[in-house]
Amino acid sequence: MARTASIERTTSESSIRLSLDLDGDGTSSISTTVPFYDHMLTAFAKHSLIDLTVEASGDTDIDAHHTVEDTAIALGLALAEALGDKAGIRRYGDATVPLDEALARAVVDLSGRPFLMHGGEPAGFELHRIGGHFTGSLVRHVFEAITLNARITAHVDVLAGRDPHHIAEAEFKAFARAMRVAVERDPRVTGVPSTKGAL
């Protein structure tokens, strides 16, 4: 059974069309009008092996915040839909990823309980504009929106780093690699991987 989803989300601030395939090869086509975010979502697809198509537009003349967050909401909703009842998945995933001087760790549990622990970014990171459009504070907003709407638990920590671009990219790649493991089908798992019988 295909593990795919398509989401369309339109508000007065943004318009999002997003589709994904959990069993892909990392193919992506990303256009959010926020270039650095396109780069991060492309990296997410490549390293999670989740095929991802995103067409997004919004009031980026005011700020990138609405388009970035609303795209992440759609991504979370699509992940939840594609995972279905989560039967046969590994459920847990973790990864530690370097990018030059930066090092990030992500641990995820497709638990059905939305929770994000996020830390370690250096002081001032949240104020830095990466690529002129994407403020460092948006990294946490993206992970918050994904975890809440996909209903997953995630711990994302920056262990080292100086360059804001490298720090953000290491975080996205670590999250992607952790998700790659967590969403995989495990041939040894029968049914839902929980003693409760549901996730």
Side-chain angles (χ1 to χ4, degrees):
M1 187 174 182
R3 299 193 299 166
T4 61
S6 295
I7 300 291
E8 293 192 20
R9 188 175 191 275
T10 301
T11 71
S12 62
E13 298 169 337
S14 69
S15 178
I16 316 295
R17 296 177 62 190
L18 182 150
S19 61
L20 60 76
D21 182 349
L22 296 182
D23 300 306
D25 58 11
T27 299
S28 64
S29 175
I30 312 292
S31 177
T32 67
T33 71
V34 181
F36 184 74
Y37 195 33
D38 291 354
H39 179 38
M40 294 300 96
L41 291 177
T42 300
F44 171 79
K46 174 64 71 175
H47 294 285
S48 66
L49 298 182
I50 296 172
D51 290 351
L52 181 63
T53 300
V54 179
E55 295 178 21
S57 60
D59 55 0
T60 52
D61 55 317
I62 297 172
D63 190 80
H65 184 112
H66 297 144
T67 301
V68 169
E69 186 171 35
D70 290 351
T71 299
I73 289 170
L75 177 53
L77 292 170
L79 286 168
E81 182 179 322
L83 282 164
D85 66 3
K86 302 175 187 170
I89 63 167
R90 296 190 187 279
R91 176 178 169 176
Y92 299 99
D94 65 274
T96 304
V97 171
L99 180 54
D100 296 347
E101 88 297 344
L103 184 66
R105 176 181 61 214
V107 184
V108 300
D109 175 9
L110 308 185
S111 62
R113 299 184 305 278
F115 199 90
L116 174 68
M117 289 294 292
H118 178 257
E121 293 172 344
F125 174 86
E126 71 278 8
L127 304 176
H128 189 87
R129 284 193 175 271
I130 308 170
H133 298 85
F134 189 97
T135 307
S137 63
L138 290 174
V139 173
R140 180 175 296 181
H141 283 304
V142 168
F143 290 133
E144 286 173 338
I146 292 172
T147 55
L148 287 172
N149 289 279
R151 301 188 60 78
I152 65 177
T153 297
H155 290 246
V156 181
D157 298 291
V158 176
L159 306 179
R162 179 186 56 82
D163 182 276
H165 183 140
H166 292 172
I167 292 167
E169 188 166 345
E171 291 184 79
F172 273 86
K173 287 179 175 177
F175 182 70
R177 293 288 297 189
M179 286 295 292
R180 172 180 172 175
V181 176
V183 304
E184 280 182 342
R185 290 188 170 104
D186 186 336
R188 298 178 63 197
V189 173
T190 301
V192 175
S194 171
T195 55
K196 294 181 295 188
L199 290 172

